[in-house]
Amino acid sequence: MKLLLKFDFTKVCNAVLEQRLEAHQLKYQQTAFGEIELLDKVSEEKLDLFYNDINDFGIDVVKDPKKIVIQKIKDVIVDMVFNEKDINVKTSVYLAEQLNENYSYLSNLFSEVTYTSIENFIILQKIEYTKILLTKEELSLTEIAFKLNYSSVAHLSRQFKNTTGITPSAFQRIIAKRKQIN
């Protein structure tokens, strides 16, 4: 039997972190998505054990200051796209406000470290979310385009094809065939 699972990545990450922090008896406060503050002084040995433990779940502790900012940018974007934040300002303004930094600084740093732009990263996240929504077959492409704030279905379709190499309808046909085989 095959099951199609839907994940709320924020809830999953928070639950894993909470479980592992409690298992290591670490008192903490979550200050933002992907960011916690340890409330007590912790030995390096205990921290190393915790780091190794959460690494098994694909969670890494970021130590490089530039990479910390990059991870925060990615977290805000993923949260914005996958949790369907209704943002009434430009993405650049939203990122600057959320991270309390100048957008030019964020944009330049992101490009320097990741070799791609923030805009391209947003497109990639939107296309990934589009694939998830198309797989569920609950929404039409028009509804998905509207949900993800695209100006038109054609715009979403172009970005989808440029990113994946196939059209959204071809993607849907492939998924439908795979479901028939299984």
Side-chain angles (χ1 to χ4, degrees), residues 71-133:
Q71 190 58 51
K72 285 181 180 183
I73 293 169
K74 288 179 176 182
D75 289 345
V76 169
I77 292 169
V78 168
D79 186 49
M80 178 182 74
V81 173
F82 283 82
N83 291 319
E84 302 164 23
K85 300 273 182 174
D86 190 21
I87 300 166
N88 297 324
V89 294
K90 291 172 100 178
T91 304
S92 58
V93 173
Y94 181 73
L95 282 170
E97 288 174 353
Q98 291 297 303
L99 299 170
N100 202 25
E101 291 283 356
N102 178 298
Y103 182 74
S104 294
Y105 165 74
L106 295 173
S107 179
N108 290 334
L109 181 65
F110 194 89
S111 297
E112 173 191 323
V113 173
T114 65
Y115 303 106
T116 190
S117 67
I118 288 176
E119 292 77 14
N120 193 49
F121 185 77
I122 292 169
I123 291 167
L124 292 173
Q125 296 312 306
K126 284 184 171 186
I127 298 307
E128 284 305 308
Y129 193 42
T130 299
K131 290 193 297 192
I132 291 168
L133 294 172

Side-chain angles (χ1 to χ4, degrees), residues 19 140 175:
Q19 178 193 45
S140 69
I175 295 302

Side-chain angles (χ1 to χ4, degrees), residues 4-178:
L4 179 63
L5 304 174
K6 176 185 173 190
F7 293 96
D8 180 331
F9 295 104
T10 305
K11 282 184 183 177
V12 171
C13 288
N14 285 338
V16 168
L17 271 175
E18 183 178 321
Q19 178 193 45
R20 301 322 311 150
L21 285 159
E22 288 175 7
H24 288 271
Q25 300 174 343
L26 296 171
K27 293 181 184 174
Y28 70 98
Q29 174 181 341
Q30 186 165 2
T31 54
F33 178 71
E35 184 176 297
I36 59 169
E37 180 180 347
L38 296 177
L39 301 176
D40 294 333
K41 193 165 182 110
V42 181
S43 71
E44 284 296 321
E45 184 179 306
K46 193 170 184 177
L47 275 177
D48 285 341
L49 288 171
F50 173 67
Y51 294 165
N52 289 331
D53 186 17
I54 62 173
N55 191 265
D56 291 342
F57 294 92
I59 302 171
D60 290 319
V61 176
V62 182
K63 296 176 183 172
D64 178 347
K66 286 183 177 181
K67 289 183 180 176
I68 290 171
V69 175
I70 298 305
Q71 190 58 51
K72 285 181 180 183
I73 293 169
K74 288 179 176 182
D75 289 345
V76 169
I77 292 169
V78 168
D79 186 49
M80 178 182 74
V81 173
F82 283 82
N83 291 319
E84 302 164 23
K85 300 273 182 174
D86 190 21
I87 300 166
N88 297 324
V89 294
K90 291 172 100 178
T91 304
S92 58
V93 173
Y94 181 73
L95 282 170
E97 288 174 353
Q98 291 297 303
L99 299 170
N100 202 25
E101 291 283 356
N102 178 298
Y103 182 74
S104 294
Y105 165 74
L106 295 173
S107 179
N108 290 334
L109 181 65
F110 194 89
S111 297
E112 173 191 323
V113 173
T114 65
Y115 303 106
T116 190
S117 67
I118 288 176
E119 292 77 14
N120 193 49
F121 185 77
I122 292 169
I123 291 167
L124 292 173
Q125 296 312 306
K126 284 184 171 186
I127 298 307
E128 284 305 308
Y129 193 42
T130 299
K131 290 193 297 192
I132 291 168
L133 294 172
L134 288 171
T135 302
K136 289 182 191 175
E137 299 177 7
E138 294 173 2
L139 299 174
S140 69
L141 193 58
T142 303
E143 292 168 320
I144 293 169
F146 179 77
K147 182 181 193 105
L148 294 176
N149 295 316
Y150 277 93
S151 57
S152 67
V153 176
H155 184 205
L156 170 57
S157 295
R158 254 189 325 277
Q159 282 191 344
F160 193 96
K161 182 164 178 154
N162 289 341
T163 303
T164 65
I166 59 174
T167 64
S169 54
F171 177 81
Q172 285 177 306
R173 285 192 299 275
I174 291 167
I175 295 302
K177 283 186 181 185
R178 285 185 183 169

